[in-house]
Amino acid sequence: MINVSERVSCIAPSMTLAISAKANEMKAAGEKVISFGVGEPDFNTPQHIIDAAKDAMDKGYTKYVAAAGLPALKNAVCKTLKNDHDLDYKPSQIIISNGAKHSIFNAIFATINPGDEVIIPAPYWLTYPEVVKCCGGTPVYVYASRDAHFKVRAAQIEGAITPKTKMLIFNSPTNPTGAVYTEEEIREIAEVCVKHNVIVLSDEIYEKLIYNGEKPFSIASVSPEMKELTIIINGVSKSYAMTGWRLGYLAAPENVAKAIASFQSHATSNVNTMTQYASIAALEGDTGPMTEMLGAFAKRRKKMLKMLKEMKHLGLDYVKPDGAFYVMLLCDKLYGKKHDGVKIKGSMDMADQLLVSKKVAVTPGICFGDDDCIRLSYALADDEMVEGLEKIAQFAKEMV
């Protein structure tokens, strides 16, 4: 028998696999399953982006390119960071990777040593702690309360800092809660990080999906000192409906980017060449389709929150999200009750029973470090969203 390495064995299996597998089995059997678990836009990639990939293939741009990314794409990323955040980066500070998740792994692998502590606000995207553990680091969780709109405060972060603290993973707008930090809140967090020389991995993948009229603000914009401590993570998946194209990028201090470029040259080499040309078109092309997508999400968000508000008397609640396309539905008041004879003890039970009895797939909050919730995505068709929410309401009514 081959024994796997400690690095791999420390990674926890996804708690959503059983529910996902069961939902897929039901779909394969011809049953209609409404899924609120999807973490991707339900819109197709805009045509001008698709055409750019086709054009690249027709022109023979199908060969290897530089491992860290096409120069033209790096320049497009630099222009985007300048236009959106007034941040000046050189192409040598940009690394193009196979999705934002790959960029996150590269950043943590390049900066975290065994025993280093990484502060992770909770609820968190489930991949963060697993990557930290895989790289030998220790996740340290700081919990955001529902009263604080699922946002941690600077004082909480400072209270979690020890001599072993190396990094803070910061995500705004956040997955899974949709919380958006204000510029003032971000500046307060930056002050703490500069004071204690803490690296910030700033995951900004949802930055263009904000609904309260506020513009995204990158923590790297706070000061030159903060910029030197920041690794920005972004990509084209969420904002440009390009999840399957698999392209993310990071912007980092020169020495960090150089180390990551060297590592990536041995690990994966370059991202799919045609995807890179398509991503240039995304960053530099027509933003009209994305504006329409954001408008559609805004309408769905409004509709979902209206319907959820009408369910409060059933023991369900929520914290209003200002970004991304998720709502954390608080269902802990239903725990201890039964549905069809099944006792609901936590979010996994809730998700499993919703799927079995109502054919509604949701993501249990325990995956994100908050067992009081289930995550709902509104990146699905309007009619399916309404039908699914009605089934959740019916589920709550049937509990005894």
Side-chain angles (χ1 to χ4, degrees):
M1 182 179 74
I2 298 175
N3 294 319
V4 300
S5 69
E6 291 181 6
R7 290 187 301 276
V8 174
S9 61
C10 76
I11 300 174
S14 172
M15 289 181 284
T16 63
L17 282 179
I19 291 176
S20 296
K22 190 177 291 186
N24 290 334
E25 288 176 8
M26 293 167 67
K27 290 178 182 178
E31 297 184 68
K32 179 183 178 181
V33 177
I34 296 174
S35 178
F36 286 102
V38 182
E40 63 178 343
D42 58 315
F43 298 88
N44 194 25
T45 304
Q47 191 61 45
H48 72 281
I49 297 174
I50 295 173
D51 290 342
K54 291 178 180 177
D55 185 57
M57 287 187 280
D58 289 340
K59 290 179 178 177
Y61 299 153
T62 58
K63 309 297 183 183
Y64 292 135
V65 296
L70 282 169
L73 178 54
K74 288 184 165 193
N75 283 324
V77 170
C78 289
K79 290 177 184 176
T80 298
L81 290 168
K82 180 64 175 178
N83 292 337
D84 292 352
H85 301 293
D86 197 26
L87 287 168
D88 292 306
Y89 282 95
K90 296 181 292 185
S92 57
Q93 294 178 271
I94 308 300
I95 306 294
I96 308 300
S97 300
N98 294 280
K101 185 181 291 188
H102 185 204
S103 295
I104 289 168
F105 180 88
N106 282 348
I108 295 174
F109 188 79
T111 56
I112 298 302
N113 292 310
D116 287 342
E117 293 180 351
V118 178
I119 296 174
I120 303 176
Y124 48 77
W125 181 44
L126 55 89
T127 292
Y128 294 147
E130 303 311 320
V131 173
V132 170
K133 289 187 287 185
C134 184
C135 294
T138 302
V140 175
Y141 304 110
V142 176
Y143 291 89
S145 71
R146 60 188 74 173
D147 293 336
H149 301 282
F150 284 128
K151 294 188 283 187
V152 298
R153 304 307 184 195
Q156 288 179 271
I157 293 171
E158 187 161 31
I161 293 174
T162 74
K164 294 183 179 181
T165 302
K166 185 74 173 289
M167 174 183 283
L168 163 70
I169 296 181
F170 184 69
N171 177 215
S172 178
T174 65
N175 175 12
T177 68
V180 178
Y181 286 78
T182 66
E183 179 178 338
E184 181 182 358
E185 290 166 338
I186 292 172
R187 288 186 179 277
E188 290 172 353
I189 291 171
E191 184 178 349
V192 169
C193 293
V194 170
K195 176 182 176 182
H196 295 279
N197 197 39
V198 174
I199 299 168
V200 175
L201 188 151
S202 182
D203 183 353
E204 302 175 6
I205 193 69
Y206 292 98
E207 68 167 354
K208 296 188 184 299
L209 301 176
I210 299 178
Y211 309 100
N212 59 5
E214 188 171 333
K215 293 185 65 177
F217 182 77
S218 174
I219 196 167
S221 302
V222 170
S223 67
E225 294 81 10
M226 189 65 250
K227 183 187 173 191
E228 284 302 302
L229 285 171
T230 301
I231 302 173
I232 293 175
I233 304 293
N234 213 320
V236 297
S237 59
K238 313 298 183 182
S239 300
Y240 301 95
M242 295 177 67
T243 52
W245 297 75
R246 305 313 304 137
L247 188 137
Y249 58 82
L250 64 80
E254 194 85 46
N255 66 315
V256 176
K258 183 178 180 181
I260 292 174
S262 178
F263 168 62
Q264 184 164 296
S265 71
H266 295 291
T268 62
S269 196
N270 66 274
V271 175
N272 178 295
T273 304
M274 288 67 74
T275 288
Q276 294 196 55
Y277 282 101
S279 298
I280 294 171
L283 294 175
E284 295 185 341
D286 180 18
T287 60
M290 297 302 91
T291 301
E292 291 179 14
M293 183 178 77
L294 180 63
F297 282 150
K299 289 179 181 178
R300 292 179 192 169
R301 167 180 170 270
K302 185 177 181 180
K303 179 66 175 177
M304 177 177 278
L305 295 182
K306 181 177 183 294
M307 292 186 69
L308 292 180
K309 186 176 182 179
E310 295 168 354
M311 297 182 201
K312 284 191 174 185
H313 70 285
L314 300 174
L316 299 170
D317 203 352
Y318 64 92
V319 174
K320 183 181 179 182
D322 290 317
F325 36 66
Y326 308 111
V327 177
M328 286 289 263
L329 182 63
L330 299 160
C331 49
D332 53 310
K333 290 181 180 178
L334 300 180
Y335 296 170
K337 295 184 177 183
K338 292 183 178 181
H339 184 273
D340 286 349
V342 177
K343 188 173 183 179
I344 306 299
K345 299 186 290 288
S347 60
M348 282 294 291
D349 293 336
M350 187 83 175
D352 188 63
Q353 190 62 13
L354 271 170
L355 181 60
V356 170
S357 65
K358 298 299 180 186
K359 298 183 177 60
V360 172
V362 301
T363 308
I366 194 171
C367 300
F368 311 111
D370 192 337
D371 198 29
D372 290 346
C373 312
I374 55 175
R375 191 192 73 175
L376 305 179
S377 167
Y378 45 90
L380 73 167
D382 296 49
D383 56 345
E384 284 198 345
M385 182 185 77
V386 171
E387 182 182 354
L389 291 173
E390 289 174 345
K391 288 187 174 184
I392 291 174
Q394 186 62 37
F395 179 91
K397 289 177 184 177
E398 293 168 357
M399 295 188 73
V400 293

